[in-house]
Amino acid sequence: DGGGWRRRGKMKEMNAVCNQKYTVVNFLPKMLFEQFSMFYNFFFLALAMSQFIPALRVGLLATYIGPLVFVLIISILKEASDDFKRYRRDKEVNDFQYSVLLPTPPPSETDTTSTTTGPDPPNDPAHIRGEEGLAALKAAAALVPSKCLKPGDVVLLDANQRVPADMVLLRAYPPEGAEGD
């Protein structure tokens, strides 16, 4: 899967985006609280409740409760729809795959076949030039969902690709055909 080497146990979603207002458990209580904190809805609720007192009853109970229930149902359906759209948008953003450069394991003390000389590993971005080098860099990367990115990850971005988190630009490659360094 590409991301298992980075974390022990279950991968944490450190970079997950969540714009939802509600959960399945708190939707109805929060929604009703928001609706009745508006003056007009509270006024019509108080008016409908007053019809349960026989001395204050003016007409049919349904003429007071019906419009209030209708407005509440429409508001609840609209909020549920909006929150579900936020959930789908968040899921799409969180599941988008990014190329993360894998760390080069340090040569073991018993490994005599290592050809690495100097402090920088061969897939260090500073040593890679041109399209061939960029292709080699991408080959040394794993695809990781946006929600699983963590501080310290080296993310390879393409032109016009969404930046998934706060990042520091380490290197930019010139467009094809432009003269580089």
Side-chain angles (χ1 to χ4, degrees):
D1 77 78
W5 60 270
R6 294 169 36 230
R7 294 171 191 86
R8 292 187 186 138
K10 187 176 178 185
M11 293 196 328
K12 284 186 157 185
E13 296 178 356
M14 300 180 75
N15 194 45
V17 174
C18 183
N19 291 313
Q20 289 178 264
K21 283 174 75 174
Y22 310 102
T23 65
V24 175
V25 175
N26 72 9
F27 177 74
L28 201 56
K30 267 187 162 179
M31 184 64 200
L32 290 175
F33 177 77
E34 285 183 18
Q35 289 301 311
F36 289 123
S37 62
M38 290 189 268
F39 175 74
Y40 290 115
N41 286 349
F42 183 74
F43 174 76
F44 283 111
L45 176 67
L47 195 60
M49 291 292 134
S50 72
Q51 296 307 298
F52 286 109
I53 302 171
L56 299 176
R57 187 172 295 153
V58 176
L60 295 173
L61 187 60
T63 59
Y64 291 94
I65 293 179
L68 177 65
V69 168
F70 176 75
V71 168
L72 288 177
I73 288 174
I74 296 298
S75 298
I76 286 172
L77 291 175
K78 181 189 176 301
E79 275 297 317
S81 170
D82 289 346
D83 208 49
F84 184 70
K85 287 176 187 174
R86 283 189 289 266
Y87 165 77
R88 285 196 343 217
R89 200 170 41 243
D90 290 346
K91 184 163 176 45
E92 180 182 327
V93 168
N94 289 332
D95 290 341
F96 191 82
Q97 302 281 318
Y98 288 91
S99 295
V100 175
L101 187 61
L102 298 173
T104 304
S108 65
E109 293 176 16
T110 59
D111 185 12
T112 58
T113 62
S114 176
T115 60
T116 305
T117 59
D120 296 326
N123 65 349
D124 180 16
H127 295 330
I128 296 176
R129 304 208 185 282
E131 291 297 319
E132 286 180 15
L134 188 56
L137 191 60
K138 287 183 178 181
L143 290 177
V144 175
S146 172
K147 64 186 173 189
C148 294
L149 292 175
K150 65 178 183 114
D153 283 346
V154 178
V155 180
L156 302 173
L157 294 176
D158 292 322
N160 300 321
Q161 189 175 9
R162 186 181 88 75
V163 179
D166 293 339
M167 294 191 169
V168 175
L169 178 66
L170 297 178
R171 179 149 189 193
Y173 294 94
E176 205 171 304
E179 289 189 35
D181 53 324

